[in-house]
Amino acid sequence: MNTKLFTDALSALLGQFTPGNLGSRLFMERSELETPENFLVWFHERFHYLQVVFTPYGHLKWASYRTSTADIVEAWANLSLMLNQPRKLPIKEYLLNDTPESVKLAYNIWIHDLKNDIYKIVEQGVTSYGNMSLFAGLTYETCCPKVMLHGQEHRMRGIDILESFAKFEEAMLGEIITGKTLDDLIDPNKLNPEYYSALYYFLETLGPERLIEFPIVCELALATAHIPSPSSVENFQKYAPNWRFIKLVEKLKSIENLPAIDYNDNTSYFDYANTVLLACGFETLKEAWVAAEEYAEMSDLTMAEEMKAAIEYKKKHPWMLSYPMCNEDDFFSAEFNRFEPYFTIMDDGISYNSAHVRSEELIVENHLQALSQQICGYTSRYCRDSFKLMCGFSYMGTNTCPHHLTGECDGYVDAETQLPELILDEASNIKSGCTLELLLKSHNIDIKSIDVGIMRLVKYDEITNAAKKHFTA
């Protein structure tokens, strides 16, 4: 038996965090969190949420995804009407019609989804559609810098920075609650490379005596003032966290007289961070937060309010991402612990961050994201029927809809499905019935008029060949 593969598979199944919906899943029951090992799994997934709300990169990614989600649904709802096309999903079904109108509709939606691929390129070095040439000639090599780890070549991806950072924080907490060493908790023989590659590169380049700087450098790699743009390789590399991390580490080899790092002095964080950022030609922390703050100010939803609260908290408590355990009072405070995933799915139930995010908003958000994903052809990890439309509850795996709990609805819908009766109060708030149906009605769409095909993505050559056939003179 290959024990390393088994260990890797088990590790991967213990916890997951989904940046799009800011939700997490733990493959255990709530009572199992009482063990130190499982508590560290929970902390690791929560830390990924903190990476979102406490960094400009996380905010910009969240804003980009939410914008494209709305754009996809709006394009599907409005263009189908303008082009006299039926409501179909996924958009692959429109290509099968092979008419100028159906191809135009599919292409417009496909372009909106393509924007999300910039983050897949940053973090994985690949696109959903398998064609990097669409992004100003970016290649795997220009997106993922080559470094040496233990004498072997390694392509550093964005996911290496995110996971190595989270694993390091998990290990620091693990030293406190388990008594194990950092080497025990970050063991390359038991982990995939993304969980230690950034750390090992840092140590091999700067030496173990500078380990204290590692999490700060990870955080500064995520202090991006703009989305990594595919307009040019130079622009992409300036704002891609993996390239920023490499440049920060390389610059630290030669910077002299760095400001001292003192966890008890907030000023020392800003002095160190801005000194290093400016030396690399990057924006200061204050400049990096501007775009994220502007987006958060555009809405009065509680989700936006929570993002603004996170920004304000992080500015007042600058050490709480790089060294959250440095101050025991802060680490255990309600002010810090309010920042957790919107929901956490466990084997015996689901917990919601309902104290700070309205449940009505979360329901609508999950329905929108589920609809947008299925319009494009992405299959849910929870899918049991690829020929039906999944609501937000079933697509995200929460399944807390009251009609699902009573057995009236299983969260899978097609034209034949008998939905629970939709009942509204005098203020048009839903008293009972399908909330997905209510969302679709707000777009003047009858849920039973949607033609659902098998969930699959449109390939790059399929969309381009269809476009050339109908729109090339």
Side-chain angles (χ1 to χ4, degrees):
M1 179 181 180
N2 188 326
T3 55
K4 185 178 187 304
L5 285 178
F6 177 78
T7 303
D8 290 345
L10 181 61
S11 176
L13 287 174
L14 290 178
Q16 296 172 336
F17 175 76
T18 307
N21 59 34
L22 301 184
S24 65
R25 179 167 185 182
L26 303 177
F27 292 86
M28 60 189 74
E29 294 187 358
R30 194 182 308 270
S31 61
E32 295 178 83
L33 290 176
E34 296 175 5
T35 68
E37 292 76 14
N38 287 334
F39 181 81
L40 290 175
V41 173
W42 172 84
F43 178 80
H44 183 106
E45 303 311 327
R46 183 197 171 208
F47 191 80
H48 282 311
Y49 175 78
L50 297 180
Q51 286 176 327
V52 174
V53 299
F54 283 170
T55 70
Y57 174 80
H59 277 255
L60 293 175
K61 181 180 176 182
W62 174 75
S64 177
Y65 182 72
R66 292 192 73 241
T67 299
S68 67
T69 293
D71 288 345
I72 288 167
V73 173
E74 291 295 329
W76 179 71
N78 297 332
L79 282 178
S80 57
L81 193 62
M82 291 171 57
L83 296 170
N84 196 29
Q85 294 294 301
R87 270 32 181 282
K88 293 189 173 189
L89 57 84
I91 56 173
K92 172 89 172 200
E93 298 298 309
Y94 288 114
L95 291 189
L96 299 179
N97 283 9
D98 198 26
T99 66
E101 293 77 16
S102 62
V103 171
K104 184 176 182 179
L105 176 54
Y107 182 82
N108 274 276
I109 294 172
W110 181 83
I111 285 293
H112 283 303
D113 185 48
L114 188 64
K115 299 173 187 175
N116 287 321
D117 267 25
I118 193 63
Y119 285 102
K120 294 170 186 171
I121 293 171
V122 169
E123 295 179 13
Q124 302 291 345
V126 297
T127 76
S128 299
Y129 305 100
N131 197 308
M132 296 285 278
S133 65
L134 294 167
F135 296 88
L138 294 178
T139 64
Y140 182 74
E141 289 72 24
T142 56
C143 293
C144 305
K146 181 171 64 177
V147 299
M148 300 301 293
L149 287 178
H150 297 317
Q152 295 185 332
E153 290 185 358
H154 175 77
R155 288 285 177 182
M156 192 76 77
R157 302 169 297 160
I159 195 68
D160 292 72
I161 313 305
L162 294 166
E163 289 294 357
S164 292
F165 189 9
K167 192 65 182 178
F168 181 80
E169 298 295 333
E170 174 196 330
M172 282 201 299
L173 181 59
E175 284 188 312
I176 297 171
I177 66 176
T178 69
K180 294 180 180 180
T181 67
L182 206 66
D183 288 335
D184 291 331
L185 294 162
I186 305 178
D187 184 351
N189 294 316
K190 298 179 180 178
L191 299 169
N192 289 332
E194 61 264 29
Y195 292 97
Y196 62 83
S197 52
L199 173 62
Y200 275 48
Y201 168 75
F202 180 94
L203 294 175
E204 289 183 19
T205 305
L206 297 176
E209 67 275 8
R210 299 187 68 172
L211 180 63
I212 189 175
E213 297 171 75
F214 172 70
I216 309 172
V217 174
C218 287
E219 181 175 336
L220 297 184
L222 300 172
T224 55
H226 302 286
I227 292 172
S229 171
S231 60
S232 70
V233 172
E234 181 182 16
N235 185 288
F236 177 88
Q237 293 178 353
K238 182 176 181 179
Y239 296 112
N242 50 340
W243 277 100
R244 287 171 62 90
F245 180 83
I246 299 299
K247 187 169 184 177
L248 287 160
V249 172
E250 290 299 314
K251 182 61 68 172
L252 283 170
K253 290 193 298 186
S254 58
I255 298 180
E256 297 180 354
N257 301 317
L258 277 171
I261 294 172
D262 182 355
Y263 313 130
N264 299 310
D265 181 3
N266 290 343
T267 301
S268 76
Y269 173 86
F270 294 111
D271 288 345
Y272 175 92
N274 287 324
T275 296
V276 178
L277 288 170
L278 289 171
C280 292
F282 297 149
E283 289 87 350
T284 64
L285 289 174
K286 182 177 180 180
E287 293 168 330
W289 276 116
V290 171
E293 290 175 309
E294 288 177 350
Y295 182 82
E297 289 289 347
M298 291 171 61
S299 169
D300 59 358
L301 295 174
T302 57
M303 285 185 288
E305 292 296 327
E306 189 69 354
M307 298 301 266
K308 286 189 287 186
I311 295 173
E312 290 305 311
Y313 179 85
K314 183 60 173 65
K315 287 183 174 182
K316 293 177 181 177
H317 303 82
W319 289 111
M320 293 304 288
L321 189 64
S322 291
Y323 282 100
M325 284 78 72
C326 68
N327 184 300
E328 185 175 323
D329 289 340
D330 285 340
F331 184 67
F332 289 107
S333 70
E335 190 180 10
F336 173 64
N337 285 286
R338 67 174 285 177
F339 300 112
E340 61 179 15
Y342 287 175
F343 59 87
T344 299
I345 303 171
M346 288 171 276
D347 290 348
D348 59 342
I350 299 170
S351 63
Y352 285 92
N353 187 3
S354 56
H356 300 102
V357 179
R358 290 182 62 202
S359 59
E360 296 89 345
E361 285 181 24
L362 186 57
I363 290 171
V364 171
E365 183 74 13
N366 283 349
H367 282 324
L368 274 172
Q369 289 191 23
L371 180 59
S372 171
Q373 292 284 289
Q374 291 171 99
I375 288 170
C376 295
Y378 293 98
T379 304
S380 166
R381 69 180 69 163
Y382 303 102
C383 183
R384 293 180 283 102
D385 188 342
S386 294
F387 291 93
K388 289 186 177 182
L389 173 64
M390 299 175 70
C391 72
F393 292 105
S394 57
Y395 194 91
M396 304 302 177
T398 56
N399 289 326
T400 53
C401 171
H403 300 291
H404 178 272
L405 296 176
T406 61
E408 293 177 80
C409 180
D410 63 1
Y412 292 77
V413 181
D414 62 14
E416 306 301 320
T417 303
Q418 186 64 41
L419 294 171
E421 182 183 2
L422 187 61
I423 302 175
L424 305 178
D425 63 18
E426 294 179 355
S428 296
N429 297 313
I430 189 167
K431 293 177 64 177
S432 66
C434 177
T435 48
L436 174 61
E437 182 180 19
L438 184 63
L439 171 68
L440 290 170
K441 283 183 178 295
S442 71
H443 288 82
N444 297 314
I445 297 173
D446 182 351
I447 199 168
K448 292 187 177 297
S449 69
I450 300 174
D451 185 1
V452 184
I454 188 171
M455 286 297 131
R456 64 227 191 269
L457 291 173
V458 171
K459 296 179 181 177
Y460 168 73
D461 58 354
E462 292 174 329
I463 198 78
T464 53
N465 289 338
K468 288 176 183 177
K469 176 180 177 180
H470 290 287
F471 304 114
T472 302

